[in-house]
Amino acid sequence: MKRIPSIMLKKPILLGSITFVVNLFISSIPVLILHEKHLEQNKNMFSISTLLDNQHLLEQQAIVNSALFYSFLFSITLSILIVFLTTFLKKSYLEVENLSHYDGLTKLYNRLMFMEIFQKEIQKVKRTKNHLFLVILDIDDFKPINDTYGHLVGDDAIKTTADTLQRLLRESDTIARFGGDEFIICIVDPDKEAASTIVNRILNEFNHKMIPVIRNNEIQDLQINLSIGYTAYKNEDDFKTMLQRADQALYISKEAGKNTATYIA
């Protein structure tokens, strides 16, 4: 799909217009060249006065006009078909792109897309004075939620977590669903305390985050808590090394009793 020119995906009408002009040019030029040659032949055979009244020449001109008209008609028909085809391809491409870049349940970026974005941020931060942070978090006791309330409630917990995290983050922050009940966040900021501020904001919000569930025909409130691990970029780091430290920090948070955050430099 990447080989499809971007013009086909972004500007179907422009592509149709280009198709019309190019096809009209290609189909008309041979007709005009042959007509010109025919005129030269007639000039050699007849005087100018005779040429103007030449019935054969008039017939040839009618044929040329007819050929040009059908060339125009064919070109505009082809361009309309190209516009419709390109519009269909654009829609199909965007659907495939959605599947390849976004998580189906939460509509967040998926793991592969996040990794691609994060690698680019590493390259950028090398040229600036910004600080780059990697934050990984997951829902505490998620398996018991699935086992007790069912997978639909588990999905609701994941979607509620995703929506809440998006609301708490800034536009400049990047979040993705990393897999299962895990989420991962990229934070870039000139302030070295930016990640701590955001992490604390997340913890405070989830200290009282509830979702309504039905159990034994009764509506209950299910508490959602998070454990968080995060780290900052150091020289020669890549995504893998930062993820290892963030994972280690997350493990420490789990061992410390969950519903907390751990930072590893």
Side-chain angles (χ1 to χ4, degrees):
M1 288 299 241
K2 289 183 178 179
R3 295 180 181 178
I4 298 177
S6 60
I7 189 173
M8 288 187 64
L9 305 177
K10 297 179 180 179
K11 299 180 179 180
I13 294 179
L14 178 59
L15 181 64
S17 301
I18 293 173
T19 301
F20 169 75
V21 172
V22 171
N23 188 76
L24 186 63
F25 178 80
I26 292 174
S27 59
S28 299
I29 290 301
V31 175
L32 294 174
I33 290 175
L34 289 175
H35 181 54
E36 187 66 28
K37 288 182 177 180
H38 180 74
L39 284 176
E40 289 296 326
Q41 291 175 352
N42 276 273
K43 286 179 181 178
N44 294 332
M45 294 174 60
F46 304 101
S47 65
I48 295 179
S49 58
T50 307
L51 184 64
L52 294 176
D53 296 326
N54 193 310
Q55 183 65 32
H56 178 67
L57 181 61
L58 294 177
E59 291 175 355
Q60 289 296 320
Q61 185 65 52
I63 293 173
V64 169
N65 291 339
S66 178
L68 292 175
F69 171 76
Y70 284 112
S71 173
F72 173 83
L73 192 63
F74 175 77
S75 297
I76 198 167
T77 302
L78 180 62
S79 67
I80 291 172
L81 289 174
I82 288 292
V83 169
F84 278 109
L85 177 61
T86 305
T87 302
F88 173 77
L89 287 175
K90 177 181 178 180
K91 182 179 178 181
S92 300
Y93 176 83
L94 292 176
E95 289 175 353
V96 172
E97 189 179 51
N98 255 352
L99 292 174
S100 62
H101 291 174
Y102 296 92
D103 173 62
L105 180 63
T106 63
K107 310 307 178 186
L108 300 177
Y109 286 130
N110 60 22
R111 180 179 185 138
L112 290 177
M113 189 64 183
F114 180 87
M115 291 170 61
E116 182 179 327
I117 293 171
F118 196 82
Q119 292 290 5
K120 291 178 181 178
E121 292 298 339
I122 288 178
Q123 298 306 315
K124 289 180 185 177
V125 83
K126 290 178 179 179
R127 303 189 299 268
T128 67
K129 295 181 180 180
N130 285 335
H131 299 276
L132 174 64
F133 304 93
L134 183 66
V135 183
I136 187 166
L137 52 88
D138 69 8
I139 300 173
D140 290 334
D141 302 314
F142 183 70
K143 187 177 185 302
I145 292 175
N146 273 337
D147 293 342
T148 304
Y149 300 100
H151 287 84
L152 291 179
V153 172
D155 286 349
D156 284 341
I158 290 173
K159 287 190 286 186
T160 298
T161 301
D163 293 342
T164 305
L165 289 171
Q166 276 190 301
R167 178 171 55 82
L168 295 174
L169 296 174
R170 307 164 303 178
E171 288 187 9
S172 59
D173 303 324
T174 304
I175 180 173
R177 184 184 179 194
F178 207 53
D181 62 317
E182 281 190 333
F183 298 87
I184 194 164
I185 302 169
C186 168
I187 298 171
V188 181
D189 200 279
D191 182 5
K192 64 180 181 180
E193 301 298 328
S196 297
T197 301
I198 293 173
V199 165
N200 287 330
R201 186 190 307 158
I202 292 171
L203 284 177
N204 290 335
E205 177 71 20
F206 279 88
N207 275 335
H208 51 81
K209 177 59 62 176
M210 304 279 189
I211 60 171
V213 297
I214 297 177
R215 188 182 184 193
N216 299 327
N217 296 322
E218 293 183 358
I219 297 179
Q220 302 177 1
D221 287 329
L222 173 63
Q223 173 77 44
I224 300 177
N225 291 126
L226 303 178
S227 291
I228 304 175
Y230 63 112
T231 189
Y233 173 79
K234 298 187 295 188
N235 287 338
E236 306 307 322
D237 259 340
D238 57 19
F239 176 75
K240 183 178 179 180
T241 57
M242 292 186 70
L243 180 61
Q244 287 173 342
R245 289 202 304 275
D247 262 335
Q248 184 182 353
L250 177 62
Y251 176 79
I252 294 172
S253 293
K254 292 290 188 184
E255 289 295 301
K258 306 174 183 178
N259 190 30
T260 188
T262 301
Y263 172 76
I264 293 182

